[in-house]
Amino acid sequence: MSEELISHEPATGAELWRGGISDVDAEVAAARQAWPGWAAKPLAYRAETLRRFADRVKADAESFADLIARETGKPLWEARTEVESVAAKVDISVKAYAERTPNRRIEGAMGLRHAVRHKPHGALAVLGPYNFPAHLPNGHIVPALLAGNSVIFKPSEKTPAVGAKLAQLFHSAGVPEEVLRLVIGGPDQGKALAGHDGIDGLLFTGSARTGVALNRQFADRPGKILALEMGGNNPIVVWDTPDIRTAAMLVVQSAFLSAGQRCTNARRLIVRQTVAEALIDEVRNLTNRLIVDHPHADPAPYMGPVIDNEAADGLTESFLILMSNGGQVIRHMTRPIADRPFLTPGIIDVTAMPERPDIELFGPLLQLVRVDSFEAAIAEANNTAFGLSAALIGGTPQLYDQFWANARAGVINWNRPTNGASSAAPFGGIGLSGNHRPSAFYAADYCAYPVASSESDALRASIGVGLRESDHDAPKLVRKGFL
Ligand code: NAD
């Protein structure tokens, strides 16, 4: 990588931003030095500073959303919802800090008390993905700062402008520059940051490939906290329902929202054979109507381009590989503008494929599998090493109970899309989707550690058993090795 990072708008190819690659050592050193001072401030001070940050975000919402839309290619309406989530994160985190990491005091006898309090880890690194370049790193940064940590934040190399803007909003609200450091760079800077002795932990959102590499990098450093929020190969199961139209809408939302670039997007549609044809017709018709266009286009598009040409090439190639391995095309994935990464959604029936790849295809590509029994549907839903989100559409309360009990995922929904999770709930996955450190409401858990103390205002001690009257009548040494 050169000494400069340049970001381009996926929709137009125009240059959007450029900036120098950061010196990781210097950024870590600054954050290390700063955290004790920040941690020593009262919690109310840190909360108020972060509330000011939320106000700045709201005041700057339109230009922030415009920047997110330009840099990611997502529609402006969707970028606006991302900005709303960034601002809302502060109040949610203050509540979560109080609920998840409260101080506790247990009174004992004779003035003794036991206390549980939480301490920040120190200097925490945050690595962000490109698909929600503000909301997702912010979901680590706000709780980390609130708990008294300093943060070294490296946005994705594909969305540095949004990362720089987010950092600037924190600083303008009064978070000291030393307490929140920005690292501009790509995987090399990510690796250097993750392996740096000066960090006390790493909060990561990104692909399973990177997450697994980070897990290895942390294997001989058990003392450092590592939170991994990774991808998924998410199933949506459609069972008996009289309302095929709404079922189709839930499928389309689950698969193609954000051009399929959400970790929670459905990748696999598992459908009961008897309803398959009707559902496929509805899904195809609805998908044909989706507007794929520039983020600022009028009428507003449902989805914009994927992040870059490389991602679009990979997805069209994956579609061809599925086709050539026995997949039956339901709807072709096309590339309407040759040199731009716009993709129309692709849908392919892979039921007859003997071996289906268990990988996250991060774009508007849905694979369909037909099954005959509910047991087969659950087995197919769990036929993945990932475990992020899963949804059942239709069925009965009893079938949902069975699905909920047996589906292996951190988010399990009924008659709702696989995506659109609430920030007021924990959010994380199992298997290759995470390392049991869920984010969102439970982010407080990995931003501070509990300390248990026994305390008494006065010195008080007694040895009740096994003590002689005086030390004069102590016996001589009788057994070798004991004095
Ligand atoms: P990515 O793994 O390529 O990159 C994420 C971050 O890690 C970037 O900042 C990148 O520069 C850095 N990085 C890359 N390789 C690294 C290495 N070897 N060492 C250290 N740092 C490295 O992910 P992406 O493509 O930007 O984001 C999309 C992925 O994120 C998808 O897999 C998606 O499912 C996942 N995601 C997960 C969640 C979640 O909460 N579970 C949310 C959003 C996105």
Side-chain angles (χ1 to χ4, degrees):
M1 186 170 294
S2 73
E3 290 306 288
E4 247 193 354
L5 184 64
I6 303 174
S7 155
H8 295 93
E9 295 183 27
T12 61
E15 183 179 323
L16 179 70
W17 184 92
R18 62 170 65 209
I21 299 289
S22 304
D23 175 346
V24 171
D25 288 339
E27 299 305 330
V28 172
R32 252 225 93 59
Q33 227 212 335
W35 82 263
W38 178 247
K41 301 266 190 222
L43 175 62
Y45 175 91
R46 296 196 299 270
E48 270 320 298
T49 309
L50 291 169
R51 287 204 172 99
R52 262 200 316 276
F53 157 75
D55 291 342
R56 294 284 158 125
V57 171
K58 286 181 204 157
D60 216 359
E62 206 43 34
S63 73
F64 199 11
D66 177 71
L67 184 67
I68 293 172
R70 284 184 194 286
E71 196 165 45
T72 60
K74 70 176 67 172
L76 185 59
W77 62 264
E78 200 190 342
R80 288 185 178 129
T81 64
E82 178 165 1
V83 173
E84 282 164 22
S85 304
V86 170
K89 181 55 72 177
V90 173
D91 280 345
I92 287 171
S93 302
V94 170
K95 190 163 182 276
Y97 184 85
E99 272 186 37
R100 301 293 302 170
T101 51
N103 288 346
R104 279 176 51 215
R105 191 176 149 130
I106 306 148
E107 300 296 339
M110 300 176 72
L112 177 67
R113 57 183 180 266
H114 303 284
V116 179
R117 303 184 193 95
H118 293 79
K119 288 195 193 192
H121 295 284
L124 293 180
V126 171
L127 294 179
Y130 68 77
N131 62 330
F132 279 87
H135 172 49
L136 290 174
N138 193 59
H140 296 303
I141 295 171
V142 168
L145 291 176
L146 185 67
N149 302 279
S150 62
V151 168
I152 311 109
F153 163 40
K154 194 198 84 59
S156 162
E157 61 279 14
K158 295 175 183 176
T159 51
V162 173
K165 171 90 180 170
L166 188 65
Q168 180 250 317
L169 284 163
F170 276 110
H171 295 151
S172 72
V175 174
E177 296 209 356
E178 299 69 35
V179 168
L180 176 70
R181 306 301 300 172
L182 178 71
V183 168
I184 293 296
D188 287 348
Q189 285 66 36
K191 273 184 219 161
L193 188 52
H196 204 292
D197 282 341
I199 63 164
D200 296 292
L202 173 69
L203 316 179
F204 168 80
T205 306
S207 63
R209 200 173 73 160
T210 307
V212 169
L214 292 169
N215 202 39
R216 258 188 227 117
Q217 213 177 349
F218 273 67
D220 59 358
R221 296 184 294 165
K224 296 192 195 272
I225 188 97
L226 176 66
L228 300 174
E229 317 301 334
M230 303 185 280
N233 188 10
N234 310 309
I236 184 166
V237 174
V238 178
W239 216 244
D240 295 326
T241 169
D243 191 355
I244 289 289
R245 280 193 75 135
T246 309
M249 210 170 284
L250 289 164
V251 168
V252 166
Q253 270 179 292
S254 298
F256 303 132
L257 191 65
S258 310
Q261 296 172 111
R262 284 191 186 210
C263 55
T264 47
N265 278 123
R267 311 291 172 202
R268 297 175 297 136
L269 168 59
I270 299 160
V271 58
R272 185 174 200 171
Q273 185 69 276
T274 48
V275 296
E277 290 314 319
L279 183 76
I280 291 167
D281 277 352
E282 283 292 342
V283 168
R284 193 196 286 110
N285 292 341
L286 199 54
T287 307
N288 287 342
R289 290 171 51 206
L290 295 180
I291 301 174
V292 182
D293 206 343
H294 188 286
H296 295 79
D298 184 14
Y302 184 75
M303 49 190 257
V306 295
I307 191 69
D308 55 23
N309 283 328
E310 198 187 338
D313 291 344
L315 287 158
T316 43
E317 197 179 319
S318 298
F319 195 81
L320 289 175
I321 291 172
L322 291 174
M323 265 172 70
S324 54
N325 281 284
Q328 299 293 309
V329 175
I330 294 170
R331 192 182 190 286
H332 272 285
M333 174 180 264
T334 61
R335 187 96 177 254
I337 309 173
D339 63 342
R340 293 287 91 226
F342 291 95
L343 291 173
T344 63
I347 309 174
I348 187 159
D349 185 341
V350 295
T351 312
M353 263 180 75
E355 280 184 27
R356 301 177 202 120
D358 180 22
I359 51 173
E360 181 189 47
L361 295 171
F362 204 58
L365 200 173
L366 182 64
Q367 300 167 66
L368 178 119
V369 180
R370 300 160 192 255
V371 288
D372 288 321
S373 69
F374 199 66
E375 287 67 29
I378 291 177
E380 191 53 49
N382 286 338
N383 189 14
T384 172
F386 294 89
L388 191 53
S389 66
L392 170 66
I393 310 298
T396 59
Q398 291 72 26
L399 284 182
Y400 176 58
D401 282 351
Q402 193 183 338
F403 184 73
W404 191 93
N406 291 288
R408 289 186 42 79
V411 175
I412 301 179
N413 296 341
W414 188 30
N415 292 332
R416 298 290 301 151
T418 50
N419 41 32
S422 160
S423 295
F427 179 79
I430 57 170
L432 273 183
S433 299
N435 66 340
H436 298 281
R437 297 205 184 276
S439 193
F441 202 74
Y442 282 14
D445 298 28
Y446 57 67
C447 290
Y449 64 95
V451 177
S453 307
S454 286
E455 299 165 352
S456 167
D457 290 335
L459 279 71
R460 200 185 297 277
S462 68
I463 300 176
V465 189
L467 217 55
R468 282 186 196 85
E469 285 297 315
S470 84
D471 62 356
H472 295 303
D473 46 327
K476 296 289 167 236
L477 176 69
V478 287
R479 277 183 289 166
K480 203 176 166 192
F482 286 78
L483 279 174

